[in-house]
Amino acid sequence: MTRPIRAVIHTAALAANYAHAKACAPASQVFAVVKANAYGHGIANMVAALPNADAFATLEMSSARSLRALGVTQPILLLEGVFSAAELQLCAEQSFWLAVHDERGLAWLETTALACPVHVFLKLNTGMNRLGFPAEQAPALVARLKQCSNVASITLMAHFASADVPELGVAAQCARFDAACAGLDLPKTLANSAALLAYPETHHQWVRPGISLYGSSPFSTKSAKELGLQAAMTLTAEVIGVQNLQAGDAVGYGASFVADRVMRIGTVACGYADGYPRHAPTGTPVLVDGVASRLIGRISMDMLAVDLSELPNSGVGSQVELWGANLSIDDVATAAGTIGYELMCAVAARVPVFVEY
Ligand SMILES: *Cc1c(COP(=O)(O)O)cnc(C)c1O
């Protein structure tokens, strides 16, 4: 028998979450953001789940090519643009849309002989200070792009730093964007999942949700369930061993957990080499045979321990949900001091993936 751990991808949840995005922004087109192997869910599974998506957005050239190879005929946007003139040529050949965020990328556009023009997303920095031209340069940059025979169309793009933090919001970045782009009659795209869900004024022509499509909340203040999102991945494993502890017995590496009474614990076939966060502390929620329990002690590479003291009917072979349809990935992430994004992206290649249609 193979090691009893698996990730199940729920394609119906992916489709429902995409439909939710469309309903939130009824006047906009929706990019399905599928970078990082669709946040760990698999590019092919996203393509299967969303045959009618308006468009896809990704970041790795390899995943853009995979999308085309899978038969995607919709637009595919490269969110970080290209990393060489040769990749720009590929964009023309495969009709990938691309972000242009700096002088180097703009120079490639202006000096490369392309087979056909490409659709350009001019990325402006409005306060994130990661990628993008200073927003105030937008009019001059647009004038340059309009002069460039390689440019089929121009869309103005920016990215929010704090759309998920109600106290900070998007107002300052929107103001800078609007001031810089006033008078430029061009399509725009600003919104990630948080802005899509919280700030309708940011929707414009295109929205770019990632995390919400996978059923995790971008907000620490509102759960996925409250938002109407469905978990798209369930990570489960089985109990493969049971230990009975006396008061004073320790569990696992570093003996970080010491029983203060008689306890029964289960050893589960999931560890940090599967993508479970090593820093998840004692008390992190798990479901054992559908019943809420908690993690005990330190996560090993291939195993972790759960408390079975209150679950006399559970033992070897019991099903343990680490996160998913019945246990929010966001609750596990919060306990482990991280965010759902990191957990779903980290699921390891050795975990068998099953797709539920
Ligand atoms: C990842 C990414 C998104 C999606 O962000 P979520 O918070 O997952 O919705 C949108 N736009 C850009 C440029 C990104 O890199």
Side-chain angles (χ1 to χ4, degrees), residues 12-236:
L14 292 168
N17 294 334
Y18 188 84
H20 185 278
K22 290 291 290 178
C24 286
S28 306
Q29 306 262 90
V30 179
F31 283 110
V33 177
V34 296
K35 61 189 175 186
N37 194 30
Y39 294 43
H41 294 67
I43 298 275
N45 298 330
M46 280 299 270
V47 171
L50 307 179
N52 301 314
D54 297 327
F56 293 88
T58 187
L59 196 142
E60 310 86 1
M61 182 58 86
S62 60
S63 71
R65 300 185 76 161
S66 297
L67 287 165
R68 277 284 178 264
L70 287 161
V72 167
T73 55
Q74 294 97 320
I76 298 170
L77 169 64
L78 288 163
L79 290 165
E80 280 185 356
V82 295
F83 299 94
S84 67
E87 283 193 352
L88 183 59
Q89 199 63 257
L90 258 173
C91 289
E93 285 163 19
Q94 303 258 328
S95 61
F96 297 147
W97 299 4
L98 71 147
V100 174
H101 63 84
D102 69 352
E103 194 57 46
R104 183 175 72 152
L106 187 51
W108 285 330
L109 259 181
E110 290 177 325
T111 58
T112 310
L114 291 183
C116 64
V118 290
H119 296 277
V120 170
F121 282 59
L122 178 63
K123 181 146 187 188
L124 302 171
N125 173 25
T126 59
M128 177 74 164
N129 289 314
R130 203 171 54 176
L131 294 183
F133 295 96
E136 293 66 33
Q137 295 178 7
L141 293 165
V142 167
R144 268 174 77 182
L145 288 170
K146 283 186 169 169
Q147 290 292 310
C148 180
S149 59
N150 283 334
V151 176
S153 74
I154 306 166
T155 301
L156 301 169
M157 176 178 178
H159 193 61
F160 291 123
S162 310
D164 56 321
V165 185
E167 309 86 89
L168 299 173
V170 297
Q173 285 191 259
C174 283
R176 188 167 167 200
F177 184 83
D178 291 344
C181 300
L184 297 174
D185 187 19
L186 292 170
K188 302 176 175 72
T189 177
L190 299 177
N192 56 4
S193 297
L196 165 66
L197 296 167
Y199 300 103
E201 69 273 24
T202 66
H203 290 174
H204 296 290
Q205 283 72 24
W206 288 94
V207 295
R208 311 188 305 267
I211 196 70
S212 66
L213 301 181
Y214 305 103
S216 164
S217 172
F219 310 108
S220 58
T221 46
K222 219 169 190 188
S223 71
K225 196 174 173 185
E226 287 171 312
L227 293 166
L229 303 173
Q230 300 175 26
M233 175 199 291
T234 299
L235 181 65
T236 57

Side-chain angles (χ1 to χ4, degrees), residues 245 249-259 263 265 267 296-298 305-306:
L245 308 182
D249 286 349
V251 178
Y253 286 118
S256 68
F257 179 88
V258 179
M263 287 181 73
I265 61 163
T267 300
I296 295 289
R298 223 176 252 176
V306 297

